[in-house]
Amino acid sequence: MGVAQEHEWITVDGNEAVASVAYRLNEVIAVYPITPASAMGELADDWSAHDRENIWGDVPDVIEMQSEGGAAGAVHGSLQAGALTTTFTASQGLLLMIPNMYKIAGELTPFVLHVAARTVATHALSIFCDHSDVMTCRETGFAILASGSVQEAQDFACIAQAATLAARIPFLHCFDGFRTSHEIQRIAALSDDEMHGMIDDALVRAHRGRALTPDQPVVRGTAQNPDVFFQAREASNPYYDACIDIVKDAMARFGTLTGRSYDLVEYVGDPEAERVIVMMGSGAEAAHETVDYLNGQGEKVGLLKLRLYRPFPVAALMAALPKTVRHLGVLDRTKEPGAVGEPLYLDVVAALAEAGQDVDWVAGKAPAVSGGRYGLSSKEFNPAMVKSVFGALADPASRRHFTVGINDDLTKLSLPVDASFRLPRSKVSTAMFYGLGADGTVGANKNSIKIITTETGAYGQGYFVYDSKKSGAATISHLRFGPTLIRSSYLIGEADFVACHQFGLLSRFDVLANAAEGATVLLNAAGSDVWDRLPHDMQATIIDKKMRLFVVDAAAIAEENGLGRRINTIMQTCFFGLTDIIPLDRAKAQIKLAIKKTYGRKSEDIVGRNFGAVDMAIDRMHEVAVPAKATSTVERPLPVPANASDFVQRVTGTMIAGKGDQLPVSVFAADGTWPVGTSKFEKRNIAAEIPVWDEAICIQCNKCAMVCPHAAIRVKVVNDNDVSKAPETFKSTKYRGHEFDRGTYVLQVAPEDCTGCTLCYEVCPARDKTNPRHKALEMEPHGDLVAAERDNFAFFLDMPELERADVPLNNKQVQFLEPLFEFSGACSGCGETPYIKLMTQLFGDRMVIANATGCSSIYGGNLPTTPYTTNKDGHGPAWANSLFEDNAEFGLGMRLAVDHQARMAERLLKSMGGDVGEVLAQSILTADQSNEAGLHEQRQRIVSLHEQLAKLKTDDARRLEALSDYLLRKSVWIVGGDGWAYDIGYGGVDHVLGMGRDVNILVLDTEVYSNTGGQQSKATPLGAAAKFAMAGRSRGKKDLGLEAMAHEQVYVARIAMGAKDAHTVRAFLEAESYPGPSLIIAYSPCIAHGYDLAHGLTQQKLAVDVGHWPLYRYDPRRIDTGEHPFQLDSAQPRKPLSAFTSQEARFRIVAHQQPDRYAELLAAAEAANKRRFEFYQYLAGYHSTVQQEPAELPEAAD
Amino acid sequence: MDLRTRYLGLDLPHPFMPGASVMSQDVDKLRQLEDAGAAAVVLHSLFEEEILQENHSTLHHMQTHGEAYGEALSYFPEPEAMAFGPTHYLRHLEKVKAALSIPVLASLNCATDAGWRSFGQQAQEAGADGLELNFYFIPVELDASGTGIEKRLADIVADVKSHVSVPVAVKLSPFFSSMGEVARALDEAGADGLVLFNRFYQPDIDLEERSIVPALNLSSSAELPLRLAWTGLLAGRVDASLAITGGVHTVADAVKAVMVGANAVQMVSALLAQGPAHLEGIQREVAAWLEAHEYDSLTQLQGSMSYMRCPDPSAYTRANYMRAIHSWRE
């Protein structure tokens, strides 16, 4: 880095570093969001929207596609038509691009595809890093270039572009997802001039010269036959032969231009090393540090960092490898089950074999080669593990194939790791911060890194660990600073400084687990008794490790300055006050500068408030005297209750405690199967306030239970004597209805599962007559209530449920059905989950769910705990997530299997009727299963059938035993968001709707990609801002319902629970009862709409009232009975659209950017809404004159 | 007929103009009012609190869920520049200025000292020919001192005056213990005009919903006498020019307003109900009235029935009140 001072230094994450280069070196960018690559596309779109130019002075075109397959197609077309084109992706997205990748490579097209490497879903989905996605592309013909750090990711993005133009072979440039894509580092920026130096304009012209143009027409993409295909395929060989040297040359030129030298293969370590590790990606940086250390300890070890993986540089690898090596360990960050070894291992073995006798090995023979897997799904890979690998290489008895970083007690493949091993403390400062998402901790830390690196010229690194839950999400920040390049691509093991920005997190995390001896600890806490309130083990650690403890009541300062929960700038100032990294005054000035930069053009008032908070912070911070002995009686609660099952105790509990890394292989099911109903064991206690019921004024409307997104408020009707042994504070009242032979009504909150969203309070219509400010539900502090309400809730759960058959299925009483979806990790106030909960109340005991990837698959299936659960009989929804794009087909497949097995069971039953009893057989085969009573009776009959079958010894009896449960009608649900249904999965949705099978599709329409962070979908309304539609979407929302109705024989409903809950319940019942495909489009408020979701119900009502979301039901059954099939269930727009849009930031962002344009968009949207309503009115008046008796159309003849 | 008047130091062809209202949000509507002969226009009020609240709410909801969950570090695009604050109002003001040739007065309702000053300056920079400071304030706290409120009012006026060069009018509520003292204090603080009075939109009750709802009723001529009384009492006794707003609907109302000493007469409800052309009718008929009653000019009429000049000033005092009661009883 000798020319460092000549560069502009920037502090960015890997995604930004790569996107900046890719953007400036391309002309067309077609993308689709996917974690962890989404940010690259978003940044490109942002720059394009702000007219930022590429190095040739043009503004690239950025387009969001409907899927990665679509993006790859658009890229292919753009490349063929002569534009420099790029895209960004990861994981499943990369897999969807593969078909086009073969084409693009086969046509020798210069192109760089940037991949933030991420695990491909197998037994489970993972958003984290490994190389399984990249490795699937080995055969595509792409060159593969791997970078291992933020600096390299930026630099290799440019080298790849230069090389692809020269080689004509497309490049896949990969860097590790999260570890590199989301890690912040101080790097030397690449200037436009440097990039000009790398890119040969003649090659750009050559690329354009090959473009498809009618002025020089050619044809590509022909179909070839056995006579020529093979030879034509071999014709590209010279390009691959030349590619390696082209990359080497590009790296050399890059070195000359920038002072940063790279090679195809880089060797680090002792020139006479006997043990060498070969690897790619960020893990090599941890290995690099460890090799340096071990050699300093007198060992002879080395590391080969492979940069270019395809074409595989055999000669370069052999040249770089010391001839002294006796044992090579090749580490792969992927798993190829059934292969001799993982891909890199096989390549290295092959390279050594091909080098054969020509190498003059010091030992007289080629080195032994072992292959190891590490780091799957971002599993930590740290110096202790590197040391363990070198240890294994020194051991002649060690396995040829191993894993490192886990405890494989099943197949014994894992290497033992000395977890206590750490590299000696260097001059690097380390700091860890525990915060909540909502408090701005991560943002402040990112800013601190920029301040420190800019002010001191030091190197800095920031890595952020996020929660698996969307509500009450905790964040852990890992920051390092030092005078030399920081290669530590792993979490901090010993922190000099630890801050906990939320006192409540002390009961969830052992925040000092990674604190160094003598560390400084900072807490945001109120009161003078902070020390006494610390958990006992924390007190002990502080004393034992001689730490200093500081406290600041940041929440109070934030409150005083009108900053709400944003304590970030206060804690940030205290961090600088307690560390001597830079003088406090300079730090404060820089913090203020950042505040000014963030808010200056948006709100002087907020700038002032933050300045006030920054100025107060240090004066309000104080040191707590640390006594000689730990005296606290506070203990961190058990991760799961003591009465949980053994599996939950051993596995789930360990994961909740944050110790999942320690779980051995043997505890896991080999096929990804997990028990249901575990969310009830994860008591998160994240609500500040919970609802308190006043039974005296409650009108028993059950709306609170209906709208609760987390099933944390429930109702039952029980017998009077059921409450006789209730806990003292348990409340009940006389039931106002007369439907049941029970007379006591109880309403109970789950105090530890409530998120405090206040939707129940908002919806409660019951007010005290004398003091209408008081409602039947009031929000009151959690801490005062939790102990008593915990007991009350446990008592409530034990009280008997009503028989399902006894419960009228209307919007009120349906809440007496047990929800089989509870306590999910969805956002507080989520607009999707109330629909799912309702669905499980209605059909949960006999439903199968296919769930598209997205929010609903995350809160539905993200570990450690999952929300789908069972009733007392053990029945409940069976749930699976396949992919994002295939969910409709996945669900259809379930239907096919269910139907087929039901038919098999029916056939068997018919054939053996006499054996099991003709009456029983006939009653099963002809059962009316259209209502709960019929279903209940059928269940009873199936039990009887089992009893009969048990007496029989025939094969058919055994076969029918296995199939008999299918004689109960199953309900198949296909659930997903608008990104799936409108965009990536639309083809499948359309096909499934057209196939006539009895499936129910529930689209949770948030009108935006919610899970990946607010990108526009084709459900995004006209005038709303979203990523890729920053200035407001200029096209209207697609009418998915109308498209579905075009199939004619499809039930369609558009619902909004907050506007009309009775309509919602009715639509679910009708959809499920419809014997063909059904589609329910459910309006779902989302945090990406930009308002307090406590008002989600009001906004739903407004959405309907202004005509944004008309309610309707289209039921083809009504055609046959001579009725109007389309029923419009909401009134004409009766309020201006602005009454709805002005409440949501997604619209206001547009208004604040371009008020005139926004006015036009709003007027256009209003007109479109009116037109659509008119059209719906027309449909509602439609009455078919073609009457045809409902008939089974003849199937095709065999 | 010569209807000329002088208000806030501005020479106007006559005193009649639309007051602050929703009408001014539409440039076309303002053009119609100008075509109907409006002497000037007062734009709708710029509410600082509303702006701050919207500003905070938008930024808060854009960032509050960010940096919390690995798949979505943000949920909104981040435009470099979003025009919060009074920008929309100022741009509208600029447009109105460009579209009209009559004087345009900006109306401000701020919550902070800095807001009054800064919004006032910005409105001047955007081309306002004058400012109308709309003091609409409900002292909810039971310990809010009347003198404290009055002092703050005068201090704000003095502060704004020291930072702008365009004339400044102050729109007041009638609820002061001593309106005269307040008027004089504002006069001393440099107010160029007093606008009597703003109408409190007093809340109503929705009986079905059992909730407090805003009551947005148009004014009627019945509200005029209070304005006439205080304009008459102040006319000629303060330096500030005077405007009447609230309750001017008919020609008779307009003539009375001028008679008690109004330099300007603002109309809103009448124009909302009857359209911009009503303004033209008022001018024409006031001129006709003056002619019929053999006045040479409007100036002759102006203030002729004020406390200072009317034949029986005691009619403005308590005695008149007592008589009125008696006469009603009889």
Side-chain angles (χ1 to χ4, degrees), chain A residues 10-34:
Chain A
I10 53 174
T11 305
V12 292
D13 67 15
N15 273 337
E16 184 172 350
V18 170
S20 170
V21 172
Y23 179 87
R24 286 182 287 163
L25 291 179
N26 280 285
E27 294 154 354
V28 171
I29 303 173
V31 294
Y32 189 72
I34 184 163

Side-chain angles (χ1 to χ4, degrees), chain A residues 1057-1115:
Chain A
M1057 181 186 281
K1060 230 182 203 181
D1061 52 7
H1063 179 257
T1064 294
V1065 173
R1066 202 160 170 188
F1068 268 99
L1069 291 169
E1070 288 179 355
E1072 209 276 338
S1073 71
Y1074 183 68
S1078 305
L1079 172 70
I1080 296 178
I1081 310 168
Y1083 187 74
S1084 305
C1086 174
I1087 55 170
H1089 295 176
Y1091 63 92
D1092 183 348
L1093 288 182
H1095 306 301
L1097 304 166
T1098 312
Q1099 277 306 97
Q1100 287 193 55
K1101 193 164 183 318
L1102 275 171
V1104 173
D1105 287 348
V1106 302
H1108 174 69
W1109 194 269
L1111 306 177
Y1112 63 74
R1113 286 164 301 141
Y1114 170 83
D1115 191 338

Side-chain angles (χ1 to χ4, degrees), chain B residues 177-195:
Chain B
S177 297
S178 173
M179 177 56 71
E181 188 195 14
V182 173
R184 203 171 55 193
L186 294 174
D187 213 31
E188 282 170 10
D192 298 286
L194 301 177
V195 184

Side-chain angles (χ1 to χ4, degrees), chain A residues 244-528:
Chain A
I244 292 173
D245 285 342
I246 287 172
V247 177
K248 193 171 175 60
D249 291 348
M251 286 175 160
R253 191 156 74 254
F254 189 87
T256 308
L257 283 166
T258 66
R260 294 190 295 281
S261 298
Y262 300 104
D263 209 337
L264 306 170
V265 181
E266 285 171 31
Y267 179 76
V268 176
D270 192 306
E272 296 185 342
E274 295 177 350
R275 287 165 290 148
V276 172
I277 288 176
V278 184
M279 61 191 304
M280 296 192 291
S282 64
E285 299 307 293
H288 188 145
E289 280 187 341
T290 315
V291 163
D292 287 348
Y293 165 76
L294 291 174
N295 286 335
Q297 299 296 303
E299 300 206 29
K300 283 181 171 297
V301 295
L303 164 72
L304 260 184
K305 297 184 194 177
L306 190 71
R307 309 300 199 183
L308 183 68
Y309 177 60
R310 285 287 183 274
F312 195 83
V314 175
L317 182 108
M318 295 311 301
L321 197 59
K323 301 303 171 280
T324 49
V325 64
R326 290 170 182 272
H327 202 155
L328 266 180
V330 185
L331 298 186
D332 270 273
R333 199 165 196 163
T334 187
K335 177 175 174 66
E336 188 172 327
V340 175
E342 270 59 41
L344 182 56
Y345 166 84
L346 292 179
D347 285 314
V348 171
V349 168
L352 286 171
E354 289 202 356
Q357 304 303 318
D358 304 340
V359 185
D360 190 13
W361 299 108
V362 171
K365 60 176 183 178
V369 188
S370 300
R373 289 186 293 276
Y374 74 101
L376 266 60
S377 178
S378 287
K379 175 67 73 190
E380 268 291 86
F381 182 68
N382 58 30
M385 296 169 193
V386 178
K387 182 167 176 283
S388 151
V389 173
F390 279 119
L393 297 184
D395 179 1
S398 69
R399 284 175 172 271
R400 185 184 289 274
H401 297 285
F402 61 86
T403 56
V404 65
I406 57 170
N407 174 9
D408 176 3
D409 58 338
L410 186 69
T411 46
K412 317 288 185 198
L413 288 177
S414 59
L415 300 181
V417 174
D418 173 9
S420 67
F421 173 76
R422 293 198 172 82
L423 294 181
R425 307 297 305 280
S426 59
K427 290 180 179 171
V428 174
S429 312
T430 50
M432 287 177 69
F433 302 80
Y434 290 77
L436 279 183
D439 65 23
T441 297
V442 171
N445 287 332
K446 287 183 174 176
N447 175 242
S448 293
I449 298 167
K450 288 195 182 184
I451 290 174
I452 292 168
T453 53
T454 311
E455 283 285 304
T456 65
Y459 286 88
Q461 178 204 51
Y463 187 75
F464 309 94
V465 178
Y466 299 101
D467 209 322
S468 63
K469 306 286 183 196
K470 288 165 183 266
S471 51
T475 61
I476 308 171
S477 308
H478 296 251
L479 271 58
R480 289 185 174 97
F481 306 100
T484 53
L485 181 64
I486 296 166
R487 298 187 186 276
S488 309
S489 54
Y490 47 90
L491 302 176
I492 289 174
E494 286 189 317
D496 306 316
F497 178 92
V498 176
C500 184
H501 289 193
Q502 301 291 340
F503 197 82
L505 293 177
L506 297 181
S507 61
R508 280 174 67 187
F509 297 99
D510 177 5
V511 300
L512 299 183
N514 297 74
E517 181 93 19
T520 302
V521 180
L522 171 65
L523 291 181
N524 165 26
S528 55

Side-chain angles (χ1 to χ4, degrees), chain A residues 570-587:
Chain A
I570 302 158
M571 299 304 287
Q572 189 185 7
T573 308
C574 291
F575 163 66
F576 280 109
L578 290 174
T579 50
D580 54 1
I581 299 171
I582 52 174
L584 181 61
D585 284 350
R586 269 167 63 196

Side-chain angles (χ1 to χ4, degrees), chain B residues 87-239:
Chain B
T87 316
H88 291 176
Y89 187 90
L90 299 173
R91 287 187 53 186
H92 180 66
L93 173 57
E94 284 166 7
K95 268 190 224 163
V96 172
K97 273 301 290 175
L100 306 186
S101 51
I102 53 177
V104 177
L105 308 176
S107 171
L108 309 179
N109 179 303
C110 296
T112 65
D113 293 357
W116 286 110
R117 186 187 314 139
S118 135
F119 285 15
Q121 284 172 319
Q122 293 179 69
Q124 171 174 297
E125 281 162 26
D129 297 294
L131 306 178
E132 188 172 287
L133 310 186
N134 178 12
F135 283 104
Y136 181 96
F137 172 73
I138 311 271
V140 175
E141 298 307 325
L142 298 186
D143 57 358
S145 122
T147 47
I149 291 169
E150 290 163 10
K151 180 170 184 317
R152 179 167 147 70
L153 219 160
D155 287 348
I156 288 167
V157 172
D159 187 48
V160 173
K161 276 296 289 181
S162 69
H163 285 89
V164 300
S165 56
V166 293
V168 173
V170 183
K171 190 170 182 176
L172 292 168
S173 87
F175 304 116
F176 289 100
S177 297
S178 173
M179 177 56 71
E181 188 195 14
V182 173
R184 203 171 55 193
L186 294 174
D187 213 31
E188 282 170 10
D192 298 286
L194 301 177
V195 184
L196 309 179
F197 294 114
N198 57 29
R199 297 177 66 235
F200 276 79
Y201 290 113
Q202 290 140 344
D204 197 357
I205 295 169
D206 182 323
L207 290 179
E208 288 312 308
E209 294 292 324
R210 270 149 288 179
S211 59
I212 303 292
V213 290
L216 296 164
N217 300 320
L218 296 182
S219 74
S220 73
S221 296
E223 292 174 47
L224 185 62
L226 179 70
R227 275 88 179 159
L228 295 180
W230 275 108
T231 309
L233 281 166
L234 295 177
R237 300 166 80 194
V238 291
D239 289 338

Side-chain angles (χ1 to χ4, degrees), chain A residues 35 46 50 127 178 182 437-438 442 446 466 470 473 475 566 599 601-603 605-606 609 858 1010-1014 1026-1027 1030 1087-1088 1090-1092 1148-1149 1151-1153 1155-1156, chain B residues 48 51-85 87-88 91 95 112 209-210:
Chain A
T35 309
D46 186 87
H50 288 107
I127 60 169
F178 284 105
H182 283 55
V442 171
K446 287 183 174 176
Y466 299 101
K470 288 165 183 266
T475 61
R566 305 293 285 188
Y599 297 114
R601 295 182 68 179
K602 293 165 185 156
S603 173
D605 182 58
I606 293 182
R609 292 175 188 213
I858 295 301
S1010 301
N1011 193 50
T1012 48
K1027 290 173 185 168
M1030 184 190 293
I1087 55 170
Y1091 63 92
D1092 183 348
R1148 287 204 303 270
I1149 290 171
H1152 289 306
Q1153 287 177 78
D1156 294 341
Chain B
E48 183 190 14
I51 286 171
L52 287 179
Q53 204 173 1
E54 200 196 349
N55 187 340
H56 290 181
S57 161
T58 304
L59 294 178
H60 170 77
H61 290 297
M62 282 175 74
Q63 71 181 14
T64 191
H65 297 285
E67 305 277 18
Y69 176 66
E71 297 214 56
L73 299 188
S74 69
Y75 288 89
F76 294 95
E78 287 176 18
E80 270 177 14
M82 283 201 285
F84 287 111
T87 316
H88 291 176
R91 287 187 53 186
K95 268 190 224 163
T112 65
E209 294 292 324
R210 270 149 288 179

